[in-house]
Amino acid sequence: MDHAVIPAPAWFDAGGGPGFAFRPGTVVAYADTPIEPIVGRFCAQIARRTGLRLAPVHGDGASAQPSVTIELAAAREPAGREPAGLPAAAGLSPDGGDPADECYSLVIEDGRVVLRAAESVGIARGLTTLIQLIAAAPSPGTDEIRVPGVRILDAPRYAWRGLSLDVARTFFTVEEIRRVIDLLEFYKLNVLHLHLTDDQAWRLAFGQPSAGAESGAAFYRDEDLTRLAGYAADRFVTIVPEVDTPGHASALLGLRPDLKSGRNEVEYEFLPGHRRRAVWLDPELPATFELMEQVLAGVAATFPGPYLHIGADEPRGMPDEDYVSYVRRLRRLVRILGKHPLGWQESARAGLGPDDVVQYWLTGVDLPASAPPQVRAQVEAEVALSRRDAEAVAAASVPVIASPLGHCYLDVPYADPPAEADADTDTD
């Protein structure tokens, strides 16, 4: 049954004692008003998943047997056979400052369920675990779901646990993004990194020409993003918006021809005899930062989280001095807006300050044997640059978000496809 809880709890004791039977009208008692919305959402999810309607009760539900009791109280104190406590989550907090206390204890035994946590977020994590246990429990009838006796003490190992969603290359509706947020909540992830712009599309209303998007590409209205940010926050998920520049700007230049300087759409030779087209925002063009100030101010006002992702990856074809100038100026603008700048690992080439955050992605690429020599040479050159970026990040001792390409990208195959079964194999 411990495998039904994802991620696996820090401490899990199956116990073997009597568990708990959820039935229609089972009381869910809580005394603390701040957790009322969390309890209400838990009861609604149980009803949606199982059809059982539980009874949330504000106050002392101890007299109701059987019942679920939820308490805002320290979960690190030993209780029975539980360990004395768990270490605080390591690493960068998506809320800024010290990581939230997500620790909780969940005890199911002797016909009762008791959930304790010091903070509301811990209550939410514990109730998610309870939902997972209920979802995996056998149901002897339509009016009862029985979960086994367990003792759980749990807290996340890392403070930042995120998913990056590319809505620039593939548009997801607001409702679809809400479903993604629901999945993050279910698996106790707490960051949704929205990749809102790229060469393929500019999904922001900020920066669109006054007549609207001439390309006809879908984009999110300001109020859509505001509601998404609130929806995520209610589920203890922080949205980190990414506006990816100075490269990956083809869609933006298509919307805003005034950003064309005459030198920022060029062909460049990435290998002898092989040329490619590069598009980037020109820091020497006054219109560039006039627009970026408006865009980033709008994004910063929409998303209350402390981080704003500036992208800054793959500045192909852009002169090094222009790239450094652009990234440094953009970081200053982000700080003026009261946010912390976060960038892909290439942003280290513009220098790093103590409050910069780097997202590490390019570690290596396994190319097929059929890859042309010029492609292999290009990839090897870019990976070599990425190693130097990593060395600069390590030397600066700034926070790093690890999302290595070979392990964390869902569109990258992780293993060779299984061999086809031999047609002559005896399957009897």
Side-chain angles (χ1 to χ4, degrees):
M1 180 59 70
D2 55 326
H3 296 294
V5 181
I6 301 174
W11 188 84
F12 186 103
D13 180 10
F20 184 86
F22 284 88
R23 300 185 177 94
T26 294
V27 169
V28 181
Y30 62 98
D32 303 280
T33 302
I35 64 174
E36 182 173 0
I38 303 170
V39 175
R41 190 159 60 247
F42 164 76
C43 293
Q45 289 193 40
I46 295 301
R48 179 176 61 82
R49 291 173 178 274
T50 70
L52 291 181
R53 298 194 176 277
L54 309 181
V57 175
H58 185 199
D60 184 8
S63 59
Q65 292 286 345
S67 69
V68 179
T69 302
I70 303 173
E71 301 174 352
L72 275 177
R76 298 183 187 276
E77 297 175 358
R81 298 181 299 278
E82 295 174 15
L86 297 173
L92 187 71
S93 168
D95 296 326
D98 295 330
D101 186 355
E102 300 180 63
C103 183
Y104 67 90
S105 63
L106 177 65
V107 178
I108 305 175
E109 63 183 9
D110 299 329
R112 294 188 62 79
V113 177
V114 179
L115 170 63
R116 294 188 179 94
E119 296 185 18
S120 296
V121 63
I123 295 294
R125 303 302 183 216
L127 287 175
T128 295
T129 291
L130 191 53
I131 290 172
Q132 292 178 349
L133 291 170
I134 292 171
S139 177
T142 58
D143 59 350
E144 178 180 301
I145 298 177
R146 185 172 294 275
V147 294
V150 295
R151 285 173 171 264
I152 294 173
L153 184 66
D154 193 21
R157 185 175 178 183
Y158 296 104
W160 188 294
R161 308 178 305 280
L163 173 74
S164 181
L165 184 63
D166 185 349
V167 297
R169 294 179 176 92
T170 303
F171 183 78
F172 292 87
T173 67
V174 171
E175 183 56 35
E176 287 171 330
I177 297 176
R178 285 181 177 175
R179 288 167 57 193
V180 171
I181 293 169
D182 291 340
L183 287 171
L184 297 184
E185 178 189 29
F186 188 72
Y187 293 111
K188 305 185 181 87
L189 301 180
N190 63 350
V191 174
L192 176 60
H193 167 191
L194 279 183
H195 184 73
L196 290 160
T197 73
D198 211 293
D199 285 320
Q200 291 75 13
W202 181 270
R203 302 299 188 188
L204 292 166
F206 310 114
Q208 298 279 352
S210 56
E214 296 176 6
S215 67
F219 63 93
Y220 302 105
R221 299 173 301 170
D222 307 351
E223 54 266 34
D224 293 333
L225 297 177
T226 298
R227 284 196 293 267
L228 276 176
Y231 186 87
D234 286 344
R235 288 150 182 79
F236 300 98
V237 173
T238 299
I239 294 183
V240 175
E242 179 185 353
V243 182
D244 194 2
T245 60
H248 293 286
S250 294
L252 180 58
L253 261 67
L255 292 170
R256 299 294 298 261
D258 55 317
L259 298 181
K260 297 179 180 182
S261 65
R263 69 183 192 117
N264 59 346
E265 295 179 282
V266 299
E267 285 192 353
Y268 70 101
E269 190 173 59
F270 69 96
L271 288 172
H274 296 273
R275 303 184 67 79
R276 280 192 172 180
R277 180 174 178 268
V279 174
W280 39 274
L281 298 187
D282 191 342
E284 295 186 0
L285 185 69
T288 295
F289 279 98
E290 290 174 5
L291 176 66
M292 290 308 298
E293 287 177 8
Q294 296 173 12
V295 169
L296 294 185
V299 172
T302 299
F303 296 97
Y307 297 100
L308 203 164
H309 204 305
I310 63 171
D313 61 317
E314 300 179 320
R316 293 168 180 159
M318 188 175 188
D320 291 346
E321 63 274 14
D322 288 317
Y323 176 78
V324 169
S325 171
Y326 182 94
V327 172
R328 287 180 176 176
R329 186 168 175 182
L330 204 67
R331 284 176 177 160
R332 286 196 297 270
L333 177 57
V334 170
R335 293 187 181 100
I336 290 171
L337 293 169
K339 304 290 185 179
H340 297 293
L342 192 165
W344 296 108
Q345 67 199 54
E346 292 93 329
S347 63
R349 300 170 196 175
L352 292 166
D355 66 336
D356 287 317
V357 180
V358 169
Q359 189 162 0
Y360 187 54
W361 72 280
L362 184 55
T363 53
V365 180
D366 292 327
L367 293 174
S370 59
Q374 63 270 21
V375 172
R376 189 174 299 277
Q378 179 201 6
V379 169
E380 289 174 354
E382 292 190 359
V383 170
L385 275 175
S386 78
R387 293 195 184 102
R388 289 202 288 272
D389 296 335
E391 292 169 358
V393 171
S397 297
V398 298
V400 176
I401 298 168
S403 53
L405 172 68
H407 301 284
C408 294
Y409 279 48
L410 300 183
D411 61 342
V412 174
Y414 302 115
D416 293 331
E420 295 291 332
D422 191 334
D424 296 327
T425 299
D426 184 1
T427 58
D428 290 340

